[in-house]
Every structure is written in C-alpha cells, then in structure tokens.
Amino acid sequence: MEFKRVTLDNLASEHICCALTDQKGESSVASKKAWLSQRLGEGLVFDKLDVRGKVFIEYIPAEKAWCPITADHYLFINCFWVSGQYKGQGYANLLLERCLADAKAKGMQGLVVLSAEKKMPFLSDPKYLKYKGFQIADQAPPYYELLYLPFSPQANVPQFKACVKSGRTDEEGWVVYYTNQCPHTDKYVPILVDHLKSKKLAIKAIKIQTTEQAQKAPNPFTTYALFYNGQFITNEILTAKSFDKLLIKTNLSPPTVPPSPSEWPAPLQRG
C-alpha cells in the first residue's frame, strides 16, 4: 500500500481518516477540512495510508502549533493515529520515519508532541513514543507531558507556556474550550451544551479560532478541554451519556441555569 499526502488540491475529495464522510457527519468533516485548508498554507503536513482507515500523521511547524508551547525550529505532531486492522503492521514506524525525514530536510531541531503520563483518549501513546526515543521536555497538570526527539544534544528543549502551568481557568461553572482541529468537536460540543441546558445546568462553550488564541489557551490540548469552576476535568470528547457518567463519578454539584420568567411559579391566590 502507498502513502498519500493531503494537499489543497485534493483536500475536498480526500478521506481524512479521523472521520467518515457519511451524510450525518458531513458538517463535522467540513469543519475539519476548513481548518486544514488554513493550516496547509502555514506548513501543515497530513500524510496517510491510501485507505479508508485511521492511518495517518499530521504535523506543523511548532511556531504555528495550536498548542501553548515554545519549541522554535521543531515540527509539532498534531495527531498520529494507526488503528483497527492496520495496527501491528509497521505503518506507525513508516509514518514517523516520513515525518523525521521531512523535519531533517527542513533543517528542524527535532520533533515535539503532546502526550501524557499514561495513554489517554485523543493523545499520542507515550509508551510507543518513548520506545522510539522521545524524551520528556516538560510537564503540565494534571497529566500532560511534552515529549521531544532532538536531532542533536545542542537542540533547545521545548517548554509549555505559563498559561497551562496552573491547570486552571478563571471561568466559573462548566466551560468547554474546543477547536475544529478534530472533526468530532463541532458535532459533540453542541450536543453537550444542549444536554446540560436540558438538565438546567449552566455551561459556556468557548471556540478557539486562531493560532494566537490556541497558544494562550489554559490547557495544552486545545482540541477539547472541559473545566468545572476553574478545575480541569477531561480532554475526552463527551457524549450526553458519557457526561452523565462523569457527573456521577465526580460527584460534582454544578450551578443551575436561573429559570426564565415563563418558568416562574404562579403567584399565590388569596381567597
């Protein structure tokens, strides 16, 4: 099987691996492709196996990364995914080798990627990356690790920016930060917002729409980050059902939405 590079010329027709372009998902896929079209002009590379499956690597110059880091002259891996029937066949190694060769050809100092202390949803597998020689460059609460693979001992060590070092946000109540870097956010964030409103729970959705905003975000994983009263809760993209499970598990008592005048109780009648 051959690898294919997604470009501005074939983006409209190409399957982008992390979402199927079925009728129900078209708007979500379109949002991801619109995001990609803007990033391709900034040096983003999207390499994939020429199949309809999740076998791809997506990376961009770290100066343009949608992640609050300082990693000049590195390539930042946005997403690196091999799943299903394609696992265990060496495709991850081949994709990483392509990325490494590209980084060296461009005169970069190395590769950098967001991961975690252990495997977490939507984050690159730390066990595999460390096996391939990646080292811990920096850490941010509650479990994030910034891994890097330098090409020389003199290479600068990447760092998280100060905005993610506390692991908190100033926003009160339930707040979700998200971007169109993942095709699933445009679908599931509105579902979550509607679900919380149906339960009379207050929630604020903050969509990050520029590189500058992303690099000042309160969480390293700008694709999706849910907070409650300033505390980070999860980077897992939630459905209504998974949110209810999380609410039970965490035993949180979130603020409710004040009732509208139409919902006020009727005045007492004096007889």
Side-chain angles (χ1 to χ4, degrees):
M1 294 183 185
E2 296 183 354
F3 289 101
K4 177 182 286 189
R5 180 159 295 183
V6 176
T7 67
L8 287 172
D9 292 332
N10 64 13
L11 177 60
S13 59
E14 194 59 47
H15 171 55
I16 59 170
C17 305
C18 45
L20 296 175
T21 54
D22 57 19
Q23 186 174 3
K24 293 182 180 179
E26 279 295 340
S27 61
S28 297
V29 173
S31 67
K32 165 70 174 184
K33 287 191 173 184
W35 185 88
L36 279 174
S37 68
Q38 295 176 327
R39 306 288 82 74
L40 286 169
E42 298 173 347
L44 181 140
V45 173
F46 192 114
D47 277 352
K48 52 165 283 189
L49 193 65
D50 194 10
V51 295
R52 286 183 63 82
K54 300 179 182 70
V55 193
F56 70 101
I57 190 167
E58 176 189 321
Y59 56 90
I60 192 170
E63 293 85 350
K64 295 292 184 180
W66 281 43
C67 182
I69 61 172
T70 300
D72 293 344
H73 306 297
Y74 277 80
L75 285 184
F76 177 78
I77 299 175
N78 283 338
C79 197
F80 185 16
W81 201 352
V82 177
S83 68
Q85 62 181 310
Y86 303 104
K87 294 178 68 175
Q89 299 186 46
Y91 290 124
N93 292 340
L94 292 173
L95 284 167
L96 184 58
E97 287 170 8
R98 290 170 66 89
C99 181
L100 279 166
D102 195 14
K104 291 177 180 178
K106 291 173 177 174
M108 297 294 179
Q109 292 194 38
L111 304 181
V112 61
V113 59
L114 180 64
S115 189
E117 296 170 358
K118 61 180 181 178
K119 186 70 177 77
M120 300 293 293
F122 300 98
L123 294 175
S124 294
D125 184 356
K127 184 177 180 180
Y128 170 78
L129 292 170
K130 291 174 182 177
Y131 169 74
K132 299 302 290 187
F134 282 78
Q135 309 167 45
I136 298 174
D138 202 0
Q139 295 174 307
Y143 47 66
Y144 292 106
E145 291 184 344
L146 189 62
L147 303 182
Y148 79 123
L149 184 63
F151 295 158
S152 77
Q154 292 75 37
N156 295 324
V157 180
Q159 293 181 315
F160 284 119
K161 292 187 176 179
C163 54
V164 299
K165 285 296 189 175
S166 71
R168 299 184 59 83
T169 178
D170 294 333
E171 298 284 346
E172 294 297 318
W174 288 100
V175 182
V176 58
Y177 295 84
Y178 72 105
T179 75
N180 286 139
Q181 187 172 344
C182 173
H184 302 297
T185 56
D186 244 17
K187 175 181 178 181
Y188 287 105
V189 168
I191 289 174
L192 180 66
V193 170
D194 289 344
H195 181 61
L196 266 68
K197 287 182 178 179
S198 73
K199 299 168 76 72
K200 305 298 183 185
L201 302 180
I203 182 170
K204 183 177 182 180
I206 300 176
K207 187 172 186 177
I208 298 169
Q209 303 194 64
T210 69
T211 304
E212 291 73 20
Q213 290 173 352
Q215 293 184 355
K216 295 177 181 178
N219 189 268
F221 191 67
T222 58
T223 302
Y224 186 100
L226 182 68
F227 288 79
Y228 171 64
N229 281 349
Q231 179 184 350
F232 173 71
I233 302 298
T234 185
N235 65 259
E236 183 176 358
I237 299 173
L238 298 175
T239 63
K241 185 176 180 180
S242 58
F243 174 81
D244 288 343
K245 289 182 178 179
L246 181 146
L247 200 61
I248 294 171
K249 181 180 178 180
T250 55
N251 195 32
L252 296 173
S253 300
T256 58
V257 177
S260 64
S262 62
E263 297 174 311
W264 290 351
L268 293 174
Q269 300 294 322
R270 297 183 180 275

